[in-house]
Amino acid sequence: MTILRFALSVMSILFTLCVNEVYGQDEEFKMVPDSEVVHISLSFAGGGFGIQIVNLPDDIMGCGLAIQNLNGTCSGGKKIEGQQFFIEINGNYLRSDTFVVYLVSLDGKLYYPAEVFTLSYIISNEVKLGADLCILNCVPNHDPWMPTADDPFLFPKKGYYINPKNGKIKKGARLINSGNYSICDLKEWKYISPYGIYLDNNRNQFRGSELIAKGKIELANWNLEAFDLYWFR
């Protein structure tokens, strides 16, 4: 029993050292504060959604808020210029549809992971964007005589990522907890949304959930540099 306790103690110490080596100080690995989480109330009305952003972080002002159903038969969006506005939905949809809501900057990059919701028969639907985001800080290794530069980025724990070296797809929380990757390694992994539509090099169309279920993509068939250009259709 004594030997078992000693072995467990050694394993615990080694694990702690490994995690500290990968993630460094606590300030490099923390959750996005609630003040930066986007709280959205969506009220269904004829032809679209009344939007109220209960918590409106300054850095999303001027971004676009987009909504569409998973079938891809309807969509709508509007630039965020205040906390209350209306988004008109164009196309065909049913009340039973599942909808996706997401934020994009003016250059088309995704700010927070998309979230899904179904229409409620109560007054409004509540959605939070960014509630599971970690802030990871990549500090590249430079010449010791040269200054280093912080390079923080957002990392959804519930999201899925493609390994740029072998195409394997893994969940964010698993990558963080494994201790096998440095923060700068994780920055190179490519985020994949289960709700997104992606096109390979032959213009074949895939739902993100299909690729995630396979657990791997063949890198020769994909251009990861353009992987996030075809989010929704």
Side-chain angles (χ1 to χ4, degrees):
M1 185 64 69
T2 302
I3 295 176
L4 178 59
R5 289 199 187 98
F6 176 77
L8 291 174
S9 176
V10 171
M11 290 175 63
S12 177
I13 293 172
L14 290 175
F15 177 80
T16 301
L17 290 174
C18 180
V19 171
N20 287 338
E21 181 180 353
V22 172
Y23 294 115
Q25 301 300 318
D26 289 341
E27 63 267 19
E28 294 183 354
F29 176 48
K30 58 185 179 181
M31 299 299 295
V32 167
D34 192 62
S35 60
E36 296 298 318
V37 177
V38 184
H39 299 246
I40 305 174
S41 175
L42 305 102
S43 301
F44 182 70
F49 291 92
I51 305 296
Q52 180 178 6
I53 302 181
V54 181
N55 186 56
L56 180 60
D58 292 339
D59 58 359
I60 71 165
M61 188 70 74
C63 295
L65 183 68
I67 300 175
Q68 76 169 70
N69 62 358
L70 282 184
N71 298 330
T73 60
C74 73
S75 63
K78 197 165 187 178
K79 182 178 179 180
I80 299 174
E81 297 178 329
Q83 290 186 272
Q84 293 186 342
F85 51 93
F86 184 82
I87 292 180
E88 182 178 355
I89 299 296
N90 299 307
N92 300 315
Y93 57 89
L94 300 173
R95 283 194 65 97
S96 58
D97 285 350
T98 298
F99 291 84
V100 184
V101 56
Y102 55 102
L103 282 168
V104 291
S105 64
L106 297 180
D107 58 8
K109 295 181 180 179
L110 196 69
Y111 263 78
Y112 293 144
E115 295 290 343
V116 298
F117 68 94
T118 55
L119 290 178
S120 172
Y121 286 92
I122 59 177
I123 296 176
S124 63
N125 299 267
E126 301 292 335
V127 176
K128 290 184 180 181
L129 299 178
D132 78 319
L133 288 177
C134 296
I135 303 175
L136 300 184
N137 188 27
C138 172
V139 181
N141 292 322
H142 294 296
D143 187 295
W145 298 103
M146 298 295 290
T148 59
D150 290 346
D151 190 16
F153 60 100
L154 299 178
F155 191 87
K157 291 195 303 180
K158 293 190 298 184
Y160 290 85
Y161 295 83
I162 300 172
N163 187 330
K165 295 181 179 179
N166 57 27
K168 291 184 178 180
I169 300 173
K170 294 185 178 181
K171 196 168 185 177
R174 181 178 177 184
L175 295 174
I176 288 176
N177 295 331
S178 71
N180 294 328
Y181 308 98
S182 71
I183 290 176
C184 292
D185 288 338
L186 296 179
K187 187 175 177 65
E188 299 303 316
W189 285 58
K190 197 69 175 179
Y191 176 76
I192 176 173
S193 169
Y195 316 119
I197 297 294
Y198 298 92
L199 303 179
D200 67 10
N201 294 337
N202 295 318
R203 309 297 292 178
N204 296 315
Q205 181 173 294
F206 298 88
R207 177 76 66 182
S209 55
E210 297 178 60
L211 301 177
I212 291 170
K214 293 180 180 179
K216 184 179 181 180
I217 65 170
E218 294 298 329
L219 292 178
N221 298 331
W222 295 85
N223 177 10
L224 291 186
E225 293 299 321
F227 195 76
D228 56 355
L229 298 182
Y230 307 103
W231 274 95
F232 298 97
R233 290 292 177 270

